[in-house]
Amino acid sequence: MSDQVGRKFGSHIRDLRKARTLTQEVLAERSTLSVDAVRRIERGAFSPSLGTVRKLASGLEVNLSTLFESFSVQRRDTVAEICDFLQQRRPDEVKLIWRVIRAIFDGR
């Protein structure tokens, strides 16, 4: 990655991590990466391999396509992130989440 792209990608990863209220340590653990690797990626000081990017996506609970799409348009797609999250849940959990969402909006 060029330095500029690396910094932008690192900033993107940091924004996604913070949106999930994760520390660098927690993201590193969830991604099976070292804390130093996460810090270096976020600073743009390290050009991650595709395997590392895949681990980051897993730790952030997003698909690679969502990660790259939101990076390329330089904005988060919250709906895509919610769909990615739901895809990783069991059917009974999805039903519960759906009931909660309906209850929130039916109560308005």
Side-chain angles (χ1 to χ4, degrees), residues 10-11 13-14 17 24 27 38-44:
S11 177
I13 295 297
R14 182 176 41 255
R17 174 181 59 78
Q24 289 177 328
L27 177 58
V38 171
R39 286 185 182 131
R40 291 174 49 216
I41 291 166
E42 288 189 359
R43 282 195 325 263

Side-chain angles (χ1 to χ4, degrees), residues 9-82:
F9 183 75
S11 177
H12 179 61
I13 295 297
R14 182 176 41 255
D15 291 346
L16 290 171
R17 174 181 59 78
K18 287 183 174 184
R20 288 157 176 72
T21 63
L22 300 174
T23 63
Q24 289 177 328
E25 292 78 12
V26 171
L27 177 58
E29 183 178 321
R30 289 173 58 169
S31 303
T32 67
L33 297 169
S34 70
V35 177
D36 185 56
V38 171
R39 286 185 182 131
R40 291 174 49 216
I41 291 166
E42 288 189 359
R43 282 195 325 263
F46 172 65
S47 183
S49 68
L50 183 56
T52 299
V53 173
R54 184 171 291 151
K55 288 179 179 184
L56 282 170
S58 176
L60 292 165
E61 296 184 323
V62 296
N63 290 325
L64 275 175
S65 59
T66 302
L67 179 68
F68 285 122
E69 184 177 319
S70 61
F71 174 64
S72 68
V73 297
Q74 297 184 345
R75 68 174 171 78
R76 290 181 52 220
D77 184 347
T78 306
V79 172
E81 291 179 37
I82 291 168

